[in-house]
Amino acid sequence: MSDELLKQKVLIYDAEKCSGCYYCMIVCSFYHFEEADLEKAYLRVNPDESNPTMFVNAYCAHCEHPFCVAACPTDPPAITKDDRGFVSIDQMRCIGCRSCNYACPISIPVYEDASRTSNKCDFCDGEPRCAKYCSTGALQVVSRREAKEARG
Amino acid sequence: MSDEQLYPWRKKVKTLPPTFKNPIANIIHLGHIPKLVTTREKIRETLGINRKPPTAYGIESAKVEVQELIKRTELYDKATWNPTKEQTERESD
């Protein structure tokens, strides 16, 4: 993996620290939609079914080789990975075919009825609010290198 | 494919964590999250304005409106909070 890739920022989640307060979801929906609606957040905290005291966070990993980018049928593609490594959907180009929804292994892009397009985490243009406001530090922004080292 | 199959992680939030209970209780009873403490009332008085601000703190109809909004957003259910039970407990205390 090139140095450029390893320097890119990604989110990392520590389930041991998560208290399940939902602040990440609240701040995400407030930043993107200006309303505190948990259902609209681009990341999702769910109680861990195997362990009632723990939580699981499903969020976009801004993959090295994103399936959503590969699946996007529009030309030029509506989903792009920029120089900083952030994968985002251009709302003006998205045709709402849901290909990215199906292609993503954890279905992170979500189809929105109101706009008839898919949408997903855009990393808040480099400063993810979910990590910024995470009170326990369970969500953190680290480089891809650090994330790889932490995950082994 | 249904939405539940397509988005297995996007489960509906059924209940809010217990940390939300007190703020929600305050919104229901006061119309605001923070309580209006006496110190703040005194400061307002020294500034020559009403002890209570012209919000749900002092206007009963505004508080009723907030309570109606909470009912319609089904916040009671999400907080798994029974206002009638809580009211009875407060009175018994």
Side-chain angles (χ1 to χ4, degrees):
Chain A
M1 193 183 283
S2 70
D3 271 359
E4 283 301 308
L5 266 175
L6 288 169
K7 279 179 193 166
Q8 288 175 355
K9 286 182 192 171
V10 286
L11 279 174
I12 193 169
Y13 171 71
D14 186 350
E16 294 282 330
K17 290 181 184 171
C18 182
S19 65
C21 67
Y22 294 133
Y23 281 3
C24 53
M25 289 166 67
I26 293 168
V27 77
C28 179
S29 83
F30 196 79
Y31 178 72
H32 292 103
F33 300 98
E34 294 184 351
E35 57 178 300
D37 187 346
L38 296 175
E39 307 300 336
K40 287 188 173 178
Y42 292 145
L43 75 170
R44 189 57 60 116
V45 176
N46 290 307
D48 188 346
E49 282 169 13
S50 59
N51 186 348
T53 58
M54 302 287 275
F55 295 87
V56 183
N57 198 335
Y59 58 92
C60 180
H62 296 269
C63 311
E64 291 164 45
H65 305 290
F67 285 91
C68 53
V69 173
C72 186
T74 60
D75 188 19
I79 312 180
T80 49
K81 188 173 172 72
D82 67 18
D83 300 339
R84 297 170 298 172
F86 308 146
V87 180
S88 54
I89 302 179
D90 186 336
Q91 294 299 299
M92 297 304 285
R93 288 180 185 164
C94 180
I95 56 171
C97 68
R98 298 198 193 198
S99 298
C100 52
N101 300 194
Y102 288 91
C104 177
I106 49 172
S107 304
I108 289 297
V110 62
Y111 180 76
E112 281 171 23
D113 286 325
S115 60
R116 294 185 183 177
T117 54
S118 287
N119 219 330
K120 67 175 282 301
C121 165
D122 54 4
F123 217 74
C124 299
D125 208 29
E127 193 188 6
R129 300 303 192 273
C130 50
K132 188 178 174 185
Y133 290 96
C134 179
S135 50
T136 59
L139 269 172
Q140 285 182 337
V141 181
V142 295
S143 68
R144 207 178 283 280
R145 184 195 301 273
E146 288 168 319
K148 277 186 176 291
E149 284 166 4
R151 289 286 175 262
Chain B
M1 191 184 271
S2 71
D3 274 4
E4 277 134 29
Q5 286 173 308
L6 179 57
Y7 309 116
W9 291 106
R10 297 189 73 84
K11 289 174 188 162
K12 289 243 171 212
V13 178
K14 287 176 188 163
T15 58
L16 292 173
T19 42
F20 282 72
K21 191 183 162 184
N22 281 338
I24 292 170
N26 283 355
I27 294 174
I28 291 164
H29 290 295
L30 311 167
H32 292 280
I33 291 177
K35 286 178 182 168
L36 186 63
V37 291
T38 327
T39 325
R40 273 181 68 197
E41 284 187 351
K42 280 179 184 167
I43 292 168
R44 290 180 63 85
E45 201 172 27
T46 52
L47 291 170
I49 50 179
N50 280 341
R51 280 179 76 93
K52 287 185 177 178
T55 63
Y57 282 125
I59 304 169
E60 187 64 23
S61 58
K63 195 169 86 177
V64 171
E65 211 164 88
V66 171
Q67 289 167 344
E68 183 60 30
L69 284 169
I70 288 167
K71 265 184 211 164
R72 292 197 190 180
T73 51
E74 298 168 0
L75 198 60
Y76 286 130
D77 300 334
K78 278 196 174 168
T80 57
W81 192 68
N82 186 340
T84 326
K85 191 183 161 195
E86 208 265 351
Q87 186 69 33
T88 324
E89 281 172 4
R90 275 188 179 212
E91 282 166 8
S92 65
D93 289 345

